[in-house]
Amino acid sequence: MAVKRIIYVITLLAAIAAFIVANNGITLFMVVCLFALPHISLVMMLLASRSVQFDLSVRDSCIRGGTLQLAMRASVRPRFCVGCVKVIVAIENTTFHKTEYKSFIIKDLSYAQHVFDYNGADSGRICVKCDAVKLIDLFGIFSIKMKCPVFAEAIVSPMLYEDVVVNMGDNGSDTVFGDTALPKKGGDITEVFNVRDYAAGDPPNAVHWKLSGKFGILKSKEFGATDDRRTLILVDMSRNKFGTSASDEQLNGVLDVTVSISNALKSVGYYHSVGWFDDGEFQSSEVSDGDTFVRTVGKLMSVKVNDGNEENMFYLSRTAECAVFTKIIFVSAFVNYEEFKEVSNAEITAIEIGDEFGITNDQGVRVISIPHDNILDALTASNI
């Protein structure tokens, strides 16, 4: 449009110069027509703007690296008043706090569907908002801008590495490395882990009335943890932590590793939970089959990249939800043993998404370093 405007201005100046030199009716007519052109176009577009119809929809989801399709429809009446429509949309990734502005031209204004492809570099929840609709005249020189409050949402899911194998042992009481684990304290009222003297604050359903009558003092039951809720994949989407900063590639890798491990557990019928921190608050979602896996991935995409809170694990250790987990697979761009001191009731495997591959043991915590650009090979070599 800018080029056409320059051409228009040059043509207008040339007509004015010709009129000054020739001073005849033909050159005067040309100058008048050129001066009237924008005013006529403006009146025609104002008439058409009263009947504009526009609709925007987005494909529900795609895998990162795939194509997220944007479907648009536009129409005006009378059709001859407008040459085409230029749609400007803001594509916001709410997970990574990124916004891109894209422009699309729709020439067929019959309200037929036009599909445009968008490829994003990051996983996350996508909100596509129509920033403006511009009506452009027949010559592509002049336009009027209209606000259009239309939006649609979609999800760009993380990369799923389906060849990942997680070794949970012969049964749910084994660790992720196949070693037998002792029963742990949890929240399953159908499994009694221990019986102790009653303490102020114990809930009534924890009182063991039969033993209390036998010993003459109140006894309380401590409940165990069920196998289907013993494993937690804990996601940390912190960008800045412990004096270092994570790149977008690392944070995307955190999501990739999380969903790949969850899918591997789901594939062998192992019930587990995926948890994350949302503004410091712990949230989780259980995975037991394909449907719950899809719903969990959808919920996980609502997590936003944050600056980082080194006290998240401290608060997690004091929640009732944490007590039922005997195994935690911690996935983050940062791993520091100090975070895990408070979580003493669970075995911890920490997966750090960085630039190099390596496996170490830090005071009982197995730390697996995985390069963000070679996740599948590193996960396979880690024997998780």
Side-chain angles (χ1 to χ4, degrees):
M1 183 180 289
V3 175
K4 292 182 178 180
R5 286 178 178 175
I6 293 174
I7 295 174
Y8 167 76
V9 172
I10 293 174
T11 304
L12 178 60
L13 292 175
I16 294 173
F19 171 70
I20 293 174
V21 174
N23 193 20
N24 56 37
I26 295 177
T27 55
L28 177 61
F29 178 75
M30 290 176 58
V31 172
V32 171
C33 288
L34 288 172
F35 266 118
L37 180 62
H39 299 87
I40 295 173
S41 294
L42 178 61
V43 171
M44 294 175 65
M45 288 188 292
L46 286 174
L47 289 173
S49 66
R50 303 180 66 179
S51 63
V52 172
Q53 286 185 296
F54 178 76
D55 183 52
L56 167 69
S57 61
V58 182
R59 181 180 173 184
D60 290 339
S61 64
C62 72
I63 303 295
R64 181 166 61 88
T67 299
L68 189 64
Q69 295 177 329
L70 285 67
M72 302 181 194
R73 303 172 185 265
S75 69
V76 295
R77 293 181 182 177
R79 170 67 182 83
F80 64 84
C81 290
V82 177
C84 63
V85 169
K86 182 179 182 180
V87 182
I88 303 173
V89 296
I91 304 176
E92 180 186 8
N93 186 314
T94 60
T95 300
F96 281 81
H97 310 289
K98 289 182 177 180
T99 302
E100 296 181 65
Y101 289 89
K102 299 287 184 179
S103 298
F104 305 95
I105 300 295
I106 301 178
K107 295 183 179 180
D108 179 8
L109 302 180
S110 63
Y111 209 61
Q113 180 172 282
H114 299 268
V115 179
F116 302 93
D117 292 342
Y118 169 75
N119 294 88
D122 304 304
S123 307
R125 190 172 296 276
I126 305 296
C127 181
V128 182
K129 300 177 183 178
C130 180
D131 187 64
V133 171
K134 286 186 176 181
L135 305 184
I136 301 175
D137 71 345
L138 295 172
F139 302 97
I141 301 174
F142 308 103
S143 66
I144 60 173
K145 185 177 181 180
M146 302 174 56
K147 288 292 184 182
C148 188
V150 179
F151 71 94
E153 283 192 326
I155 289 177
V156 177
S157 301
M159 295 285 289
L160 180 61
Y161 299 101
E162 296 185 306
D163 294 331
V164 173
V165 176
V166 179
N167 178 24
M168 298 303 294
D170 295 330
N171 56 67
S173 297
D174 290 351
T175 69
V176 292
F177 313 114
D179 303 320
T180 301
L182 294 175
K184 298 294 180 74
K185 181 180 176 182
D188 180 18
I189 60 174
T190 65
E191 179 183 356
V192 178
F193 166 67
N194 188 28
V195 178
R196 56 169 172 77
D197 291 341
Y198 178 86
D202 286 347
N205 67 334
V207 177
H208 198 304
W209 297 108
K210 187 173 182 180
L211 287 181
S212 296
K214 181 177 180 179
F215 289 94
I217 58 173
L218 287 176
K219 294 285 185 177
S220 289
K221 296 175 284 188
E222 288 185 337
F223 302 120
T226 57
D227 288 344
D228 59 342
R229 294 200 61 202
R230 288 185 128 177
T231 298
L232 168 69
I233 306 173
L234 182 60
V235 185
D236 181 11
M237 288 291 287
S238 300
R239 183 178 292 279
N240 302 296
K241 214 169 180 184
F242 308 118
T244 57
S245 181
S247 65
D248 289 343
E249 290 79 6
Q250 288 176 267
L251 296 172
N252 276 298
V254 169
L255 295 173
D256 295 346
V257 170
T258 299
V259 299
S260 297
I261 293 177
S262 178
N263 179 68
L265 294 179
K266 179 262 299 180
S267 298
V268 296
Y270 193 90
Y271 289 18
H272 61 282
S273 295
V274 177
W276 58 86
F277 300 113
D278 188 4
D279 291 330
E281 182 179 350
F282 174 69
Q283 297 186 13
S284 66
S285 178
E286 293 185 7
V287 177
S288 58
D289 53 24
D291 291 338
T292 54
F293 173 73
V294 171
R295 287 197 293 269
T296 297
V297 172
K299 293 177 182 178
L300 184 61
M301 292 300 96
S302 65
V303 180
K304 295 179 175 59
V305 174
N306 55 69
D307 288 335
N309 185 349
E310 297 176 18
E311 295 183 340
N312 277 334
M313 296 293 286
F314 173 81
Y315 294 122
L316 174 63
S317 67
R318 281 152 177 75
T319 64
E321 295 91 340
C322 181
V324 302
F325 299 116
T326 59
K327 290 177 285 290
I328 295 178
I329 303 175
F330 180 70
V331 187
S332 174
F334 313 94
V335 170
N336 188 309
Y337 173 75
E338 296 298 321
E339 282 195 294
F340 307 116
K341 284 185 176 179
E342 300 294 334
V343 189
S344 57
N345 69 305
E347 300 169 0
I348 298 173
T349 299
I351 300 178
E352 182 178 45
I353 311 301
D355 298 318
E356 300 178 353
F357 174 74
I359 302 176
T360 60
N361 283 280
D362 189 352
Q363 303 185 54
V365 177
R366 191 186 192 204
V367 180
I368 303 174
S369 299
I370 291 178
H372 63 78
D373 57 353
N374 193 12
I375 289 176
L376 178 58
D377 291 343
L379 279 177
T380 303
S382 301
N383 188 29
I384 299 177

